[in-house]
Amino acid sequence: MLNLLLFGPPGAGKGTQALKIAEKFGLIHISTGDLLRAEVAGGTELGKAAKSLMDKGILVSDDIVVGMIDAKISSNSSVKGFIFDGFPRTLPQAKALDELLAKHNQSIDITLALEVDKEELYNRISLRGKSSGRADDQDKNTFLKRMQVYNTETAPLKDYYKNQGVLVTINGIGEIEDVFNSLCNEIIKKGNPVH
Ligand code: B4P
């Protein structure tokens, strides 16, 4: 199996690239952002609780997110691997993911960290805000809040994965196809263990 983690600030290209990587390597794509937005769209109790936090750029509780990931991993037992997009975002989430994978004798093979400067991130998010309908993409203060949450809660995970020897940083600026090729090269360097 091949288990990948795509890491980066809001707007770095995680969702964009995760879809392409999942298709190329035959992996199951798990995006906590997409799972939460589906709960919101479905009007579930979980969705109602998550919406107000997401609209403000605040993280949803670890318990909720880890529960969703647990369900996804358990319901996809015979697969080539997973690509996690937007998860983990906190140290407790990272530890919980390691434990969930260990239950299936699995671990993270590579963490790909996309690096994009703040100005470019804001340009992308505000551009998407014009068409996405996402409240969290449409307000500069919400973007700044998301960046603050990323810097304090999520960015420290780079050290967590560096210590595990699985962290690779990638320049996320440039054409989507060029960034994709850089990511694929790193995955293939790992020996493409999905075959
Ligand atoms: P996410 O859905 O993960 O949203 P995101 O950080 O904005 O990343 P996304 O994947 O959507 O954007 P991408 O960079 O691909 O999270 C949203 C909210 O959900 C969070 O704030 C939080 O409240 C909650 N949440 C999610 N996961 C959670 C967790 N684990 N724990 C707690 N809460 C959680 O792309 C952005 C834009 O850039 C797109 O329009 C794209 O087309 C464009 N783009 C991409 N690559 C580009 C390139 N190379 N050049 C130009 N534009 C590019």
Side-chain angles (χ1 to χ4, degrees):
M1 271 179 83
L2 175 66
N3 296 306
L4 307 177
L5 208 150
L6 208 49
F7 186 87
K14 303 183 294 289
T16 307
Q17 298 293 342
L19 281 170
K20 291 168 73 67
I21 292 169
E23 190 186 4
K24 181 175 170 82
F25 293 95
L27 306 175
I28 301 287
H29 173 213
I30 303 185
S31 157
T32 39
D34 288 351
L35 291 172
L36 289 166
R37 281 186 286 278
E39 295 285 343
V40 172
T44 65
E45 285 308 312
L46 193 163
K48 284 178 200 157
K51 185 177 188 320
S52 61
L53 297 169
M54 292 172 79
D55 286 356
K56 290 187 204 125
I58 298 170
L59 296 181
V60 175
S61 84
D62 290 337
D63 287 352
I64 288 180
V65 179
V66 170
M68 293 190 318
I69 294 283
D70 192 3
K72 271 279 178 190
I73 294 176
S74 301
S75 63
N76 286 285
S77 52
S78 304
V79 294
K80 287 183 175 174
F82 295 98
I83 177 159
F84 298 96
D85 155 12
F87 176 88
R89 268 175 151 94
T90 64
L91 190 57
Q93 289 182 18
K95 290 182 174 167
L97 178 60
D98 281 348
E99 285 167 19
L100 289 176
L101 290 173
K103 277 202 283 183
H104 301 269
N105 295 319
Q106 295 294 317
S107 59
I108 293 295
D109 296 295
I110 180 165
T111 293
L112 298 154
L114 288 167
E115 304 214 311
V116 178
D117 63 64
K118 194 171 162 188
E119 194 186 349
E120 170 72 6
L121 294 172
Y122 181 62
N123 289 343
R124 291 181 187 180
I125 294 275
S126 54
L127 192 67
R128 183 173 62 182
K130 291 182 185 145
S131 58
S132 69
R134 277 175 58 170
D136 61 343
D137 282 348
Q138 291 175 30
D139 178 74
K140 182 151 192 184
N141 286 331
T142 309
F143 168 74
L144 293 174
K145 180 69 190 170
R146 287 162 75 187
M147 283 304 296
Q148 185 210 329
V149 168
Y150 171 78
N151 286 327
T152 55
E153 303 207 38
T154 308
L157 292 184
K158 276 199 229 173
D159 280 342
Y160 181 80
Y161 290 107
K162 198 172 173 185
N163 289 337
Q164 291 190 2
V166 294
L167 182 77
V168 177
T169 54
I170 302 277
N171 177 16
I173 295 186
E175 296 295 325
I176 288 172
E177 216 48 40
D178 292 339
V179 177
F180 176 59
N181 287 334
S182 303
L183 291 163
C184 290
N185 287 341
E186 293 298 335
I187 296 166
I188 289 162
K189 265 197 224 164
K190 269 271 161 189
N192 195 7
V194 287
H195 294 295

